Amino acid sequence: MSETARRRFTASRLPSHTGISAWTAMLPPPVLRPELEGAATADIVVIGAGFAGLAAAWQLSRLDPAVNIVVLEAGAIGEGAAGRNSGFIIDLPHEVSADDYGGVSLTRSRQAIMISRSAIALAGSVAEQQGWGRDIFDPCGRYSVAISAEGDHHLATYAQQLERLGEEHRLLDADEITAVTGSASYTSALFTPGTIIVQPAAYIRGLADALPASVRIFENSPAVLLEKNATGWLVKTPQGTIHTGKILLANNGHAESFGFFKGRLVHIFTYASMTQAFDPALLVGERKWAATPALPMGTTVRRVAGTDGDRILVRSRYTYNAGQTVSAASVQRAGALHDCKFKARFPALGNVGMEYRWAGAMAVTTNAVPAFGEIEDGIIAACGCNGVGASKATASGIAAAELALGIRSELSDIYAGFDKPRPLPPQPFATLGAKLTLAYREWRAGPE
């Protein structure tokens, strides 16, 4: 490959989203920012205005207020993958029942916690500065809930690991978690107080609004070409161009659309449904709580209190989609599963239907490391969130900003020590392996 070809990266596809996220639908219509038109310049261009991209812009502007930053968002702020998230900024390892968790060293576990708490610290500082209420940013903690004997065992085992780490936690029996959720289906739960619960679309919009004037954001302005020149990089959008010294790539799986990390990212979609608003009197228990499953790839549930009534979020089902798109039929099939899980957990809400259904993309690596670092001279990637995007993508954005400015910290040192993403097997084995793994893990989760 010639030097010219190697330094010219054209997007093979643009992000697309299936279904309307309830988080966006429940907000007032936004005042859209302009599209990029004509020629512009910037010290750093951030591609992607999700958790990673906006965290990077925030950290860049905080560390060097003089740096001129442009953020390019392919769609509208809050309507991408970040606004389709379930809204958990989790401070502890997410898969509480991961098979190897008991063998992970305390040092590695504490590094994972430090990564997540770096994200929480950034989110908390923005929330305090902006005066957000608990409808956007709620430090209420989370429950990990079990619905089977296997789930009970995993929660008890994980509680022992938290004891070793010195992390605050509380185990709940069936009656105690029923009092919280109003659901008699849960057999036990583990409460950890450090998780932040956000309204993800409102959070992303608010973070964008909180950025200083040194950060210019352009919506509906997808980067379609990155081209190296004598002074840096030229970034092209459908209607404009930007000359910049550095590019911070914060578009998660779509980094592969430019040819980066090719054959190293597994593209997975998760699915969610949210009910119509219902009278809070129909369901006993607390009006606001958030629960992740005891077993990996189980069912996440949130109760969301609102002025027009309460709603239940159900998230379950995972599919492998190498083309980074899913059909409306896939969303409907996942929705049928959500309906079954919802009815099993909340029979008292039998007449309450789902109002919104949607899909959201994430990118994972087979060795569970981020797709991170300087991948070309002047291009820094903060991609491959490996799930738990609100936490890990935010931290990746922070670390990428520090790398761009040549600043070292405990967080950036952790990221510098990560291995590179491992290559996937050749096709068709990569597709077969991904689909079989997802199917097995969903089967293993059972009723969870």
Side-chain angles (χ1 to χ4, degrees):
M1 183 180 292
S2 71
E3 182 71 12
T4 300
R6 190 176 68 85
R7 294 188 173 252
R8 180 184 174 93
F9 305 95
T10 302
S12 60
R13 61 172 73 88
L14 297 177
S16 65
H17 309 290
T18 306
I20 298 174
S21 166
W23 304 117
T24 301
M26 292 189 298
L27 293 176
V31 177
L32 293 178
R33 292 172 173 81
E35 298 180 27
L36 177 67
E37 296 181 345
T41 61
D43 297 321
I44 299 176
V45 170
V46 178
I47 298 176
F51 290 115
L54 293 179
W58 174 270
Q59 187 74 344
L60 287 166
S61 63
R62 188 185 72 82
L63 294 174
D64 186 354
V67 70
N68 185 302
I69 304 159
V70 164
V71 179
L72 297 178
E73 169 55 37
I77 299 292
E79 293 186 3
R84 293 164 175 269
N85 188 277
S86 293
F88 293 71
I89 310 182
I90 294 174
D91 66 326
L92 296 170
H94 183 52
E95 292 194 352
V96 299
S97 59
D99 293 337
D100 65 348
Y101 187 77
V104 174
S105 70
L106 290 178
T107 297
R108 186 173 173 186
S109 297
R110 288 181 175 131
Q111 284 184 343
I113 292 169
M114 191 272 170
I115 288 171
S116 294
R117 288 184 176 158
S118 296
I120 289 173
L122 182 147
S125 65
V126 178
E128 182 178 9
Q129 181 197 86
Q130 298 297 302
W132 289 342
R134 291 200 166 198
D135 57 327
I136 300 177
F137 180 93
D138 190 354
C140 62
R142 69 162 170 139
Y143 297 89
S144 294
V145 291
I147 205 169
S148 66
E150 186 179 4
D152 295 337
H153 172 73
H154 280 293
L155 291 183
T157 301
Y158 185 57
Q160 294 173 1
Q161 299 299 332
L162 294 182
E163 194 72 33
R164 291 178 61 210
L165 288 164
E167 292 293 336
E168 186 179 353
H169 63 282
R170 180 167 60 93
L171 280 167
L172 291 78
D173 63 23
D175 290 339
E176 289 172 313
I177 191 59
T178 295
V180 173
T181 64
S183 173
S185 63
Y186 295 123
T187 53
S188 67
L190 175 69
F191 177 73
T192 49
T195 290
I196 307 299
I197 303 300
V198 299
Q199 204 285 30
Y203 172 85
I204 288 295
R205 283 192 194 178
L207 181 52
D209 291 341
L211 293 171
S214 59
V215 181
R216 292 171 289 162
I217 301 176
F218 295 96
E219 294 183 277
N220 297 302
S221 301
V224 296
L225 175 68
L226 315 177
E227 187 172 31
K228 182 70 173 174
N229 57 37
T231 59
W233 289 89
L234 179 70
V235 180
K236 291 188 177 182
T237 68
Q239 304 297 328
T241 59
I242 305 176
H243 289 273
T244 184
K246 293 183 179 179
I247 296 170
L248 204 158
L249 205 61
N251 56 351
N252 208 10
H254 276 279
E256 191 172 346
S257 301
F258 288 95
F260 301 117
F261 305 109
K262 193 169 181 63
R264 294 172 186 265
L265 299 178
V266 181
H267 302 286
I268 294 174
F269 277 79
T270 63
Y271 300 82
S273 298
M274 187 178 284
T275 68
Q276 61 195 115
F278 60 85
D279 182 348
L282 293 175
L283 183 64
V284 299
E286 298 176 9
R287 288 191 61 194
K288 191 175 186 181
W289 50 266
T292 53
L295 297 180
M297 299 184 68
T299 305
T300 294
V301 181
R302 276 183 65 174
R303 182 171 178 174
V304 182
T307 56
D308 60 341
D310 291 3
R311 298 173 184 266
I312 299 289
L313 166 81
V314 178
R315 191 189 76 178
S316 187
R317 187 77 175 114
Y318 297 79
T319 61
Y320 170 69
N321 301 84
Q324 301 186 56
T325 60
V326 295
S327 66
S330 294
V331 175
Q332 290 304 312
R333 284 193 294 270
L337 176 65
H338 298 162
D339 292 346
C340 292
K341 291 179 176 288
F342 172 70
K343 290 175 181 177
R345 286 161 174 77
F346 305 103
L349 300 178
N351 294 325
V352 176
M354 295 294 177
E355 185 172 358
Y356 302 103
R357 303 192 194 273
W358 67 95
M362 65 178 178
V364 306
T365 60
T366 57
N367 52 337
V369 298
F372 180 87
E374 190 162 19
I375 53 178
E376 286 283 328
D377 181 23
I379 300 182
I380 296 169
C383 303
C385 68
N386 286 288
V388 202
S391 303
K392 291 184 178 179
T394 297
S396 292
I398 296 169
E402 293 173 349
L403 180 59
L405 297 177
I407 294 173
R408 284 190 60 180
S409 70
E410 182 181 358
L411 180 67
S412 61
D413 285 347
I414 291 172
Y415 271 81
F418 280 127
D419 292 335
K420 299 301 180 184
R422 186 182 299 148
L424 303 178
Q427 292 293 2
F429 301 107
T431 295
L432 290 172
K435 290 186 175 182
L436 287 172
T437 298
L438 291 175
Y440 170 75
R441 290 188 175 184
E442 287 193 320
W443 172 81
R444 177 86 182 271
E448 300 281 348

